[in-house]
Amino acid sequence: SRKAVYPTHWLNTRFPFDAKARNQDLEQQVLSHLSGKDLVKLTDVGSGNGANLRHLWPLISASQAWTLIEKDPLLVEATLVERSEQALALGYSVHRSATEMVFTKEEQEVRIRATETSLLTAGKEGWFAGRDFILANAVFDLFARDQFHAFMQDILPQGIPFYTTLNYESQA
């Protein structure tokens, strides 16, 4: 039986610490940018077990369309299961098909589509088109500098805002 590259129990254990470490001022700027929209379209690259989705979707009052880009199918499945449990606990109804999951509560709808695509090729494959924001959490510290530059070259020409959290470069 195959195991996820980053075990979900480890990612879940670190989640509250990562959430506390988020820059609140920057997060408020992101939320302000998204306010006033009827539908917010977000793409989370290297989504792991969905930390950005887990943290942000309850804070966004608009309906949402999330695309999660994660190459590890075990993390994708864990994300969908864990977020459906979270949605049910928050009073949402949950509907899941083979290609997406939808949470609904009153007038809000949250659609989640996951793809097992490499974030290094996602931009060239069209996964960023029409997005309001591209998000990443604790992924670029795993990149070589040239990989990060290539990734940014897929985003910059499109003028899409990019919000990334918890990245660290050591000179040691």
Side-chain angles (χ1 to χ4, degrees), residues 133-150:
F133 249 97
I134 296 173
L135 311 161
N137 182 63
V139 69
F140 294 113
D141 51 332
L142 305 174
F143 273 38
R145 188 177 305 245
D146 61 329
Q147 290 175 310
F148 181 75
H149 287 284

Side-chain angles (χ1 to χ4, degrees), residues 33 131-135 155 158-163:
H33 178 80
R131 303 281 91 185
D132 293 305
F133 249 97
I134 296 173
L135 311 161
I155 296 174
Q158 298 182 57
I160 303 168
F162 177 56
Y163 174 51

